[in-house]
Amino acid sequence: MTNKYTVAIIAFILHILSIQAQKVEYTKADSAQVVALLNAAKNQRGTENPIFYFGKKFLGIPYVAHTLELGDKEHLIVNLHGLDCTTFVETVVALSMCDQQNKRTFDDFCKNLTTIRFREGKMTDYTSRLHYFTWWAEDNERLGIVKDISIDDAPFLGVQTVHINYMSQHPTLYKQLKNHPEFVPTIRNYEQATEGKQFHYIEKKDLSWKAGTPLSMVKDGDIVAMLTDSDGLDTRHIGIAFWQNGQLHLLHASSLYKKVLMSKETFYDYEMKQPKHTGIRVFRFVEE
């Protein structure tokens, strides 16, 4: 056995052990797809926005809810063959981070997905997951992964005042909270720490774009969170923005159409059909 072959075997074993140490649940097809997507991006992405580029790679993938609620103990779940709106965006951001870092192994992807999904990038128990989008946005902003574009002197007229308590008020709707009531006080404390925070957003009436409106600042590949002001929630849906024929559209995992798609209707028309939506917050992946 040559030294080169021995080194390769050792590297492979260490790679497997590293993934196992993270308590990752995945299929061989998922890991192979991650590596294939990252390797293809080296030659195919060019200068295209990475979020938009990778987002389109999942068109047609079935919408599947609750894919992260497997097992009794929190662990990293990778599922590229069934996505909801959150896991779709998280998967795309993790791939974009790998591509930017020029790191193209499944282990690299898992590390980035952990960073994105869990508070301060550290997975402990169920309470460490960033369950509300406000938590997700704040944490990933602190880590320099995304930025709220309203901070850049954008004339966003809406002001969201966050009131979140849905999880602590309805613990029996969440498998791990139902099985582990000791988690509920921690979730409640996190909710209370967010209480009353305010953020600027684009009101949904302004999604009918014209030059000079706040919407003109949105770019292909921006992450958009659709806000609500009811039911103890902060958002009801997330996706990726893109422009088509001078109007804004949404690339997302749709529960209505049961798959990832690029909406043919404009974002404005989509939002006007959502009575509990108030508007959107917009985040941009930070490219180095």
Side-chain angles (χ1 to χ4, degrees):
M1 184 180 294
T2 65
N3 288 338
K4 184 176 180 181
Y5 184 72
T6 303
V7 169
I9 291 294
I10 293 173
F12 177 75
I13 292 173
L14 291 175
H15 168 68
I16 296 298
L17 290 175
S18 175
I19 291 176
Q20 290 176 341
Q22 294 185 63
K23 301 177 183 177
V24 183
E25 182 173 341
Y26 66 100
T27 67
K28 290 182 179 179
D30 290 325
S31 61
Q33 184 179 358
V34 165
V35 173
L37 286 169
L38 290 172
N39 285 332
K42 287 190 293 186
N43 299 317
Q44 295 179 8
R45 183 173 73 83
T47 60
E48 186 174 15
N49 177 277
I51 300 293
F52 192 40
Y53 169 84
F54 284 112
K56 290 184 291 182
K57 297 300 180 182
F58 294 96
L59 290 174
I61 296 296
Y63 176 95
V64 180
H66 311 302
T67 59
L68 301 185
E69 308 308 317
L70 303 176
D72 188 55
K73 292 185 178 180
E74 189 70 16
H75 58 292
L76 185 70
I77 296 175
V78 178
N79 184 347
L80 275 66
H81 53 275
L83 299 165
D84 63 22
C85 66
T86 299
T87 57
F88 168 59
V89 169
E90 288 183 336
T91 298
V92 168
V93 173
L95 288 168
S96 298
M97 289 173 67
C98 286
D99 189 46
Q100 179 169 259
Q101 298 159 348
N102 197 25
K103 295 181 177 180
R104 304 186 188 276
T105 71
F106 183 63
D107 188 31
D108 295 322
F109 172 82
C110 290
K111 289 176 181 177
N112 283 332
L113 188 59
T114 299
T115 299
I116 294 163
R117 184 172 290 168
F118 296 95
R119 192 175 298 274
E120 298 180 354
K122 300 173 184 177
M123 178 178 59
T124 55
D125 57 28
Y126 183 73
T127 67
S128 68
R129 202 195 309 168
L130 299 164
H131 297 281
Y132 292 97
F133 184 82
T134 300
W135 296 352
W136 190 96
E138 286 188 312
D139 210 70
N140 282 284
E141 279 191 282
R142 279 195 297 267
L143 295 175
I145 297 169
V146 299
K147 67 175 182 177
D148 183 345
I149 71 168
S150 70
I151 295 173
D152 296 334
D153 298 321
F156 294 180
L157 301 180
V159 178
Q160 178 194 30
T161 301
V162 178
H163 303 293
I164 52 174
N165 59 24
Y166 191 85
M167 293 183 70
S168 64
Q169 292 294 312
H170 305 87
T172 57
L173 299 181
Y174 299 86
K175 179 181 177 180
Q176 288 210 38
L177 293 184
K178 183 178 179 179
N179 294 342
H180 297 277
E182 69 273 16
F183 289 163
V184 176
T186 301
I187 293 292
R188 184 182 297 113
N189 287 339
Y190 284 137
E191 290 173 340
Q192 290 173 349
T194 313
E195 175 64 26
K197 289 189 176 183
Q198 293 187 323
F199 304 98
H200 287 275
Y201 71 94
I202 301 174
E203 297 174 290
K204 67 180 182 182
K205 64 181 178 60
D206 290 328
L207 291 175
S208 181
W209 181 83
K210 58 182 181 295
T213 69
L215 200 60
S216 62
M217 294 191 64
V218 181
K219 296 181 179 179
D220 286 354
D222 282 349
I223 298 165
V224 289
M226 282 133 271
L227 308 182
T228 185
D229 57 5
S230 61
D231 302 328
L233 296 169
D234 53 351
T235 60
R236 288 190 170 271
H237 193 44
I238 62 174
I240 298 167
F242 70 97
W243 289 95
Q244 188 174 71
N245 299 323
Q247 292 182 305
L248 199 65
H249 291 256
L250 184 63
L251 166 59
H252 62 133
S254 170
S255 60
L256 176 62
Y257 292 99
K258 304 301 181 184
K259 63 181 179 180
V260 176
L261 55 81
M262 299 173 74
S263 292
K264 294 182 179 179
E265 64 183 346
T266 67
F267 203 168
Y268 173 79
D269 289 338
Y270 171 85
E271 279 292 89
M272 296 309 288
K273 295 176 182 177
Q274 313 298 327
K276 290 193 175 183
H277 291 196
T278 56
I280 62 171
R281 290 185 70 191
V282 186
F283 295 83
R284 187 161 296 151
F285 177 67
V286 177
E287 296 188 70
E288 298 176 354

